[in-house]
Amino acid sequence: MYAARSPRPRRGGVRTLAVCAAAAALAAGPLGTARAAGTDDTVKVTYRGHEFTVPASWPIVDLEKHPDVCVRFDRHAVYLGTPGDQQRCPAGAKGRTEAFLIQPSVVKGRTVSENRTARMFRVTADRIAVTAAYAQDRTRIRDILRDAGLPDAAAGTDATAGAPAAAPLPADATSFRGEGFDACTAPGQTAMDAWQDDSDYGAVGVYIGGVNRACAQSRLTAGWLRTQYANGWRFIPLYVGRQPSSDGGSCGGGCEAITDPVPQGAEAADDAVEQATALGFPKGTVIYDDLENYAPGSTVTSRVLSYLDAYTKRLHALGYRSGVYGNTSSLVADLVAHKSRVTLPDVLHFARWNGKSTTTDSKIPAKLWADHQRIHQYMGDTTETHGGVTISIDRDRLDVD
């Protein structure tokens, strides 16, 4: 267990708190100048010798000129360049659609991988690296890659997205008692250092994968995690898998929903462990499945509980612990009401935005998740500034061993 930090003197930083407006939205209309003539319905985007023919309605974002734009895969766009160190990402973004992040690369050779669970291609070739997300239109993404002269996964193949396992983090990397926050994308090193020096936070939520993970994670690597761990940070690994519905919680109609609970829950667990292993999270780590708010009812409740039951059982079989994030009025209520017929997650990350930094709640029986097995997200969609760095976050109180 990693204890909370004692309060430290502040070093001249300003701390502000406000409700987060849609600060990370793409600018209205295209950004950058990387367009060329196409048809009435398409434009050609040239980057490092490759020409991408994309729908004319998709914004083109030059990240060198606009480094604070949030790279998101829950809206159509083409992002060119390296994501900025301080992107303006909304804390609660969720969902998936067709989008491209095209970056410079020094990797030699031509490689391609596809994660069918997360619906993502990763391609390297000729001094560029492409991350291409899709929801329903996989064919369009493959056609754009092929027409740009890039390798794509052949139809019918399920090439793995798996990176080699990283050196494991210490076992206490996800143990913490105290204040934490989660943000849509892993903050840059300047931000992490500023917040370490000028805030009372000691844990950070990181979105390691999932088909509904909206923000790109260009900085979330095994090396980034090891650096933050050495600096004293601990982690909440969050996996944004399928949701109770396409429009629940933060989804806004753009989320992939649970349709076949048992196989999809097991599939999510397999993918969550693959991503966790690549980042260095060892066996025994808690991986939290993020389920947005929904209206409980016989059909949706059964679907959600069957999905989570399969997710938890599969994680246990793979040597990991199960965590789940959900609202007290939906998921938590369903888990409590049906505790005798479902395999309960090992740790509960419950959302109730009441501003109270405590892990007790009247809707959670005292005997459930009682042995340092709780995280309370007590404030959400807020912005804070520490050490001159502003991030949109959700606030959490952790009591996890």
Side-chain angles (χ1 to χ4, degrees):
M1 185 275 294
Y2 188 85
R5 295 197 186 103
S6 300
R8 295 181 297 273
R10 306 207 183 269
R11 302 195 314 185
V14 178
R15 189 172 191 266
T16 62
L17 178 63
V19 175
C20 175
L26 292 176
L31 302 176
T33 57
R35 288 174 176 261
T39 67
D40 290 342
D41 299 324
T42 65
V43 293
K44 296 184 182 298
V45 181
T46 302
Y47 189 80
R48 291 198 161 198
H50 289 272
E51 189 174 78
F52 298 83
T53 303
V54 301
S57 59
W58 292 12
I60 311 300
V61 184
D62 185 334
L63 295 174
E64 183 176 348
K65 295 180 178 179
H66 303 276
D68 61 339
V69 167
C70 181
V71 179
R72 297 170 58 171
F73 297 143
D74 61 337
R75 53 183 61 192
H76 296 302
V78 178
Y79 303 92
L80 302 174
T82 302
D85 196 51
Q86 295 185 35
Q87 299 173 52
R88 298 172 60 201
C89 290
K94 302 288 186 297
R96 178 55 51 85
T97 191
E98 291 71 41
F100 282 84
L101 168 61
I102 307 170
Q103 306 177 78
S105 174
V106 296
V107 176
K108 294 182 179 179
R110 296 164 65 86
T111 66
V112 59
S113 65
E114 181 184 8
N115 184 329
R116 287 285 188 94
T117 303
R119 300 188 181 181
M120 190 88 69
F121 286 99
R122 297 187 189 277
V123 181
T124 59
D126 310 323
R127 302 186 305 126
I128 65 171
V130 179
T131 304
Y134 62 93
Q136 304 302 322
D137 204 347
R138 177 176 180 267
T139 299
R140 178 188 290 250
I141 296 300
R142 291 188 62 243
D143 288 346
I144 293 171
L145 290 171
R146 184 185 62 248
D147 292 347
L150 296 173
D152 68 311
T157 358
D158 193 8
T160 66
L169 289 160
D172 68 343
T174 56
S175 298
F176 190 75
R177 300 180 193 174
E179 294 295 314
F181 73 93
D182 54 90
C184 191
T185 190
Q189 194 59 53
T190 298
M192 293 300 293
D193 291 345
W195 278 49
Q196 183 180 48
D197 289 344
D198 197 53
S199 79
D200 294 328
Y201 293 117
V204 56
V206 288
Y207 289 89
I208 68 170
V211 68
N212 288 307
R213 182 179 71 175
C215 291
Q217 293 286 1
S218 58
R219 285 181 297 277
L220 184 56
T221 64
W224 184 92
L225 287 165
R226 294 199 73 81
T227 297
Q228 309 323 315
Y229 179 88
N231 289 344
W233 289 99
R234 298 299 179 260
F235 309 108
I236 312 167
L238 295 155
Y239 182 87
V240 195
R242 288 176 174 269
Q243 297 299 307
S245 67
S246 64
D247 58 356
S250 304
C251 288
C255 284
E256 295 298 310
I258 300 167
T259 55
D260 194 3
V262 173
Q264 288 172 346
E267 179 185 48
D270 285 337
D271 187 50
V273 167
E274 183 176 3
Q275 306 314 315
T277 302
L279 290 168
F281 286 112
K283 289 187 176 183
T285 293
V286 185
I287 307 177
Y288 299 82
D289 191 273
D290 181 330
L291 282 163
E292 294 297 292
N293 194 29
Y294 59 94
S298 58
T299 301
V300 69
T301 292
S302 176
R303 191 164 59 230
V304 166
L305 294 182
S306 295
Y307 175 90
L308 280 180
D309 187 74
Y311 174 81
T312 296
K313 287 176 177 175
R314 182 60 179 158
L315 276 186
H316 288 171
L318 295 171
Y320 283 74
R321 290 189 289 162
S322 167
V324 65
Y325 166 86
N327 198 282
T328 53
S329 64
S330 54
L331 179 63
V332 175
D334 275 343
L335 286 171
V336 171
H338 301 278
K339 60 182 182 294
S340 61
R341 74 174 187 87
V342 66
T343 306
L344 290 176
D346 301 292
V347 182
L348 181 67
H349 184 185
F350 64 96
R352 191 176 204 183
W353 294 358
N354 57 10
K356 297 179 180 179
S357 179
T358 175
T359 56
T360 61
D361 191 279
S362 60
K363 292 192 176 183
I364 306 174
K367 293 183 179 181
L368 291 181
W369 301 288
D371 189 15
H372 307 294
Q373 296 168 277
R374 296 185 183 185
I375 301 175
H376 178 195
Q377 186 183 92
Y378 63 91
M379 189 172 291
D381 287 340
T382 70
T383 55
E384 293 187 22
T385 301
H386 300 286
V389 177
T390 301
I391 308 175
S392 176
I393 66 167
D394 299 322
R395 281 188 183 180
D396 305 296
R397 179 74 185 187
L398 291 84
D399 181 10
V400 180
D401 280 355

